[in-house]
Amino acid sequence: MEPALLLNTSMLLTLTILLSPMLLPLLSTKFTNSPTLITRTIKTSFLCSLTPMTLFMYLGTDSITSHWEWKFIQNFKIPLSFKVDQYSMMFFPIALFVTWAILQFATWYMATDPYITKFFSYLLMFLIAMLTLTIANNMFLLFIGWEGVGIMSFLLIGWWQGRAEANTAALQAVLYNRIGDIGLILSMAWLASTINSWELQQTPVTQTQTLPLLGLILAATGKSAQFGLHPWLPAAMEGPTPVSALLHSSTMVVAGIFLLIRTHPMFTNNQTALTLCLCLGALSTLFAATCALTQNDIKKIIAFSTSSQLGLMMVTIGLNLPQLAFLHISTHAFFKAMLFLCSGSIIHNLNGEQDIRKMGGLQNMLPTTTSCLTIGNLALMGTPFLAGFYSKDLIIECLNTSYLNTWALLLTLLATSFTATYTFRMTLLVQTGPIRMSSMTTPDENNPTITNPIIRLALGSVLAGLLITSYIPPSETPPMTMPTTTKTAAILITVLGAILALELSNMTHTMNQPKQNTYMNFSSTLGYFNPLTHRLFTTKLLNSGQKIASHLIDMSWYKKMGPEGLADLQLMATKTSTNLHNGLIKTYLGTFALSILIILLTQT
Amino acid sequence: MTLLHLSFFSAFTLSSLGLAFHRTHLISALLCLESIILSIYIALSIWPIQTQTSSPSILPILILTFSACEAGTGLALLVAST
């Protein structure tokens, strides 16, 4: 059997199965969607997508297929082409597995919602857009997927549209993504005008100018919430927990990093762009980790943790290691989605309580959820031989053994220790300790709809790293020899952060009032970034607009220097000279008449 | 001097004296001002014909423009000071 044919057919089958709940209601009226139907569709699609993955693992088949061409203008080819290579083939099963678990969980979480079918259709449409982005071979199809995920993110964050904060958060998300889109359109325009094609195979590799790379980095900053365009990600926690789990942890936010992975050949030779990625990623990871230290909302802690890991992925791109970044994307998807699902279970079981200062002692009340929360947190910290270890430890090792900016290295190491600190803080406050919630809550997790997805994802968190690294050989040689301190640097720093967290939690058992200090203020107000940019920037812009349009043009040029100004000048002159006049008009006119008579007489 | 010169000269002189001597009504002074300009205008129009040069033909148009502005200003002053 020809492997290429099997590969392409099964990929197309996966996509068609996904599209069927969207298209079949349009074709016959007897067909009705339901949440369980959509969940089963995703499960089927996942099982179907395992075929291409195993084909790639055992035979190494790649393919690029071209289906249709949009004949827009004569000289510019925009085909509908799919690239089925290592990245898309690995991403499909992982994304579909995570989505299957999330949708199964969402049938319980959103059970009381009257528009639950619409919710599931939105999630399905989001998934289709994301997979289009993944499988795209040219920038046009990628842009379609990019915009699709942006719009679905807007619709899903503002799902509870009666809530003002949800609407603001959705608007914030779409505006920040739009700023990133400017960068993407810039690079697309540069590519179209320079190499007359949008295919990823034709991008210039040898000497790329920095301008399109800056555009791509801006696009990744917007979509993947790097520092500068990051406030939308914590605000996006206003959406329901399945939305946070799917979009803002595993799938949508990695779209920016995925774009950089796909266009990586352009970056390889441009050291400026790589250093920019490195420093930007290091700054983002440290900033997000600092902000997560003083958060009290469980979903916001996990959101900042996502932001921090995205910064780490950007650092990996800056090290010229796209495959390692993709490995981190894959392993991160499992444990981050599981963390969100566990937090969703906790929130619903405590009747909507999201503040960790009001939880405690949940280990005895929700054993499965809290065990999986612990597994997820350990995987996030990079505990040896769980999923996060294979990618995160390798990244830190490569960081330590490369020739790069020391500042970036220091920031990343500091952020790794902070990761341990805030995850430990969250675990201790949520699961252990005295019960700080109302005694009327009845937590109950005996529903298999809750526990089965979480346990599946826990299995993924434990095994995924091992499986992926065993079956996919690396394309660059990882560093093999290094001093012992360097090799154990990640573990040491994580343990240091954990010890710090334990010490600090001991300090909170005393009854002292916490005093305000600069660092805590910085961390809890998210670095003063939100009020600075959201207020300062907009007031400056609107002020300068008012200055130019209203003050300068209307008042200055039309009034002061135009007609009224002239009148004012005349008035000033008149008022000055009124004092000089004596008013002897008879004398003046008499002299005038005398002059005329003299002229008359002297003419012959 | 020729008859043409006399007519222009006398029109100009009479209007100027009228400007100096009409003191009861401002509008009569303004009318005299208008007739000064009118005499200059006609003189400027005849002069290129007399000297057979065509370049100063634009001058009457310019004088007309200025006279219009001046008349407007004078009338505005008249209206403003009543």
Side-chain angles (χ1 to χ4, degrees):
Chain A
M1 181 70 160
E2 286 187 15
L5 179 64
L6 183 59
L7 185 76
N8 291 324
T9 324
S10 40
M11 268 315 226
L12 281 176
L13 183 62
T14 317
L15 287 170
T16 321
I17 294 175
L18 275 180
L19 277 170
S20 58
M22 303 262 94
L23 294 178
L24 285 178
L26 300 172
L27 296 175
S28 88
T29 48
K30 278 189 298 186
F31 188 86
T32 47
N33 263 336
S34 80
T36 39
L37 183 75
I38 296 183
T39 320
R40 251 185 280 144
T41 315
I42 302 276
K43 179 177 175 185
T44 322
S45 193
F46 161 66
L47 293 172
C48 196
S49 72
L50 289 174
T51 317
M53 184 177 82
T54 37
L55 265 178
F56 175 74
M57 280 180 181
Y58 285 103
L59 294 177
T61 38
D62 286 5
S63 85
I64 299 175
T65 51
S66 180
H67 294 270
W68 175 68
E69 190 186 316
W70 183 28
K71 298 222 187 291
F72 183 48
I73 49 178
Q74 291 286 5
N75 300 330
F76 198 79
K77 288 172 77 68
I78 310 178
L80 180 73
S81 65
F82 294 155
K83 180 175 168 114
V84 186
D85 68 337
Q86 170 197 1
Y87 298 129
S88 50
M89 272 188 283
M90 290 302 302
F91 193 77
F92 264 60
I94 292 171
L96 286 168
F97 182 72
V98 168
T99 314
W100 171 33
I102 292 173
L103 288 185
Q104 196 179 356
F105 180 81
T107 50
W108 170 75
Y109 194 84
M110 307 290 288
T112 55
D113 197 304
Y115 299 111
I116 188 172
T117 316
K118 189 160 88 154
F119 184 74
F120 273 69
S121 329
Y122 278 1
L123 283 177
L124 185 64
M125 219 175 334
F126 163 79
L127 188 67
I128 294 172
M130 185 69 206
L131 294 179
T132 312
L133 196 156
T134 317
I135 206 176
N137 191 32
N138 52 4
M139 299 286 277
F140 186 66
L141 204 56
L142 196 139
F143 188 62
I144 293 177
W146 186 274
E147 292 296 305
V149 299
I151 288 296
M152 295 323 292
S153 166
F154 169 74
L155 289 173
L156 283 167
I157 295 176
W159 176 254
W160 289 314
Q161 60 218 36
R163 214 175 128 78
E165 290 98 339
N167 286 333
T168 327
L171 203 59
Q172 213 177 349
V174 94
L175 285 176
Y176 275 113
N177 276 343
R178 262 285 170 250
I179 301 179
D181 290 349
I182 296 176
L184 186 59
I185 296 180
L186 169 68
S187 352
M188 281 170 73
W190 186 89
L191 279 175
S193 58
T194 323
I195 55 175
N196 197 33
S197 162
W198 274 335
E199 299 290 306
L200 292 173
Q201 277 74 36
Q202 296 188 29
T203 51
V205 175
T206 45
Q207 283 160 338
T208 322
Q209 293 187 3
T210 324
L211 182 64
L213 303 180
L214 286 180
L216 290 173
I217 294 176
L218 181 62
T221 313
K223 191 66 95 179
S224 294
Q226 303 297 311
F227 182 74
L229 298 177
H230 65 278
W232 68 271
L233 191 53
M237 296 297 119
E238 292 286 335
T241 308
V243 169
S244 309
L246 184 56
L247 270 74
H248 306 120
S249 65
S250 15
T251 332
M252 181 184 118
V253 291
V254 298
I257 306 286
F258 196 81
L259 171 73
L260 292 183
I261 293 177
R262 270 277 191 244
T263 52
H264 201 262
M266 290 210 284
F267 278 83
T268 330
N269 290 322
N270 195 325
Q271 195 52 43
T272 322
L274 288 177
T275 318
L276 181 63
C277 282
L278 190 71
C279 297
L280 183 64
L283 185 60
S284 321
T285 179
L286 182 64
F287 183 74
T290 316
C291 293
L293 288 174
T294 52
Q295 288 296 314
N296 293 318
D297 185 353
I298 189 174
K299 281 179 73 171
K300 286 230 160 64
I301 296 181
I302 308 180
F304 278 114
S305 147
T306 309
S307 194
S308 183
Q309 297 302 308
L310 288 170
L312 192 65
M313 291 174 207
M314 186 67 122
V315 163
T316 325
I317 300 266
L319 286 176
N320 225 348
L321 299 168
Q323 210 184 12
L324 192 53
F326 185 74
L327 176 64
H328 195 55
I329 290 179
S330 318
T331 52
H332 173 259
F334 285 103
F335 52 78
K336 199 43 71 67
M338 181 171 72
L339 282 175
F340 268 112
L341 292 192
C342 293
S343 72
S345 160
I346 292 173
I347 290 170
H348 250 33
N349 275 319
L350 297 183
N351 280 331
E353 185 56 65
Q354 286 185 298
D355 198 336
I356 57 175
R357 297 172 293 189
K358 295 208 191 136
M359 305 175 190
L362 282 178
Q363 255 177 345
N364 301 320
M365 293 191 261
L366 299 173
T368 321
T369 311
T370 46
S371 319
C372 294
L373 191 71
T374 317
I375 294 177
N377 281 331
L378 287 175
L380 175 59
M381 287 194 293
T383 315
F385 310 116
L386 291 183
F389 171 77
Y390 286 96
S391 47
K392 203 165 166 187
D393 197 69
L394 199 48
I395 294 175
I396 307 260
E397 270 176 31
C398 293
L399 259 180
N400 278 330
T401 52
S402 317
Y403 176 68
L404 46 59
N405 196 335
T406 320
W407 200 234
L409 176 64
L410 284 175
L411 293 182
T412 316
L413 290 177
L414 197 59
T416 315
S417 73
F418 282 173
T419 308
T421 314
Y422 63 71
T423 45
F424 253 94
R425 173 175 179 260
M426 180 174 88
T427 319
L428 289 172
L429 278 176
V430 168
Q431 297 175 237
T432 64
I435 301 177
R436 293 182 295 274
M437 63 189 93
S438 144
S439 37
M440 298 300 278
T441 54
T442 49
D444 172 31
E445 59 164 18
N446 288 322
N447 200 338
T449 334
I450 313 174
T451 46
N452 282 347
I454 295 183
I455 293 178
R456 273 204 301 268
L457 285 176
L459 223 68
S461 301
V462 173
L463 295 175
L466 180 63
L467 289 175
I468 298 177
T469 45
S470 314
Y471 286 112
I472 311 284
S475 50
E476 287 114 2
T477 343
M480 297 287 188
T481 57
M482 59 193 87
T484 324
T485 347
T486 317
K487 182 83 183 169
T488 51
I491 305 274
L492 282 175
I493 289 175
T494 309
V495 166
L496 254 160
I499 293 175
L500 187 67
L502 287 170
E503 274 301 318
L504 287 174
S505 74
N506 275 339
M507 282 169 62
T508 55
H509 290 162
T510 59
M511 289 295 191
N512 296 335
Q513 285 276 357
K515 277 194 289 226
Q516 274 198 17
N517 59 350
T518 347
Y519 304 110
M520 204 182 87
N521 279 348
F522 181 81
S523 176
S524 40
T525 55
L526 315 182
Y528 314 117
F529 188 89
N530 285 19
L532 266 179
T533 44
H534 291 175
R535 308 261 171 220
L536 193 72
F537 193 62
T538 45
T539 33
K540 246 201 239 176
L541 204 64
L542 290 174
N543 251 340
S544 62
Q546 186 191 40
K547 247 195 279 247
I548 294 179
S550 166
H551 292 171
L552 185 63
I553 296 182
D554 284 349
M555 300 204 50
S556 281
W557 287 350
Y558 290 162
K559 286 194 161 185
K560 287 282 159 61
M561 296 202 257
E564 288 192 29
L566 208 59
D568 285 340
L569 274 176
Q570 300 292 339
L571 218 61
M572 201 168 62
T574 321
K575 283 188 191 156
T576 322
S577 53
T578 328
N579 295 331
L580 300 172
H581 288 163
N582 322 53
L584 304 167
I585 189 78
K586 200 167 169 184
T587 322
Y588 301 151
L589 285 177
T591 358
F592 181 67
L594 188 63
S595 326
I596 297 291
L597 284 172
I598 291 177
I599 292 173
L600 186 66
L601 285 175
T602 50
Q603 298 294 323
T604 50
Chain B
M1 59 176 84
T2 57
L3 185 59
L4 203 58
H5 276 173
L6 176 66
S7 49
F8 291 144
F9 191 68
S10 56
F12 184 82
T13 321
L14 280 172
S15 313
S16 317
L17 285 174
L19 179 63
F21 290 142
H22 281 116
R23 271 191 269 141
T24 40
H25 301 287
L26 181 61
I27 189 122
S28 12
L30 289 179
L31 269 174
C32 292
L33 209 57
E34 279 307 301
S35 65
I36 290 176
I37 303 266
L38 182 64
S39 63
I40 291 178
Y41 172 74
I42 297 181
L44 279 177
S45 309
I46 303 290
W47 170 41
I49 304 174
Q50 284 266 313
T51 53
Q52 294 288 329
T53 60
S54 60
S55 20
S57 305
I58 193 71
L59 277 175
I61 306 291
L62 297 181
I63 295 288
L64 213 56
T65 320
F66 279 115
S67 101
C69 299
E70 190 188 319
T73 317
L75 284 171
L77 275 172
L78 174 74
V79 170
S81 60
T82 47

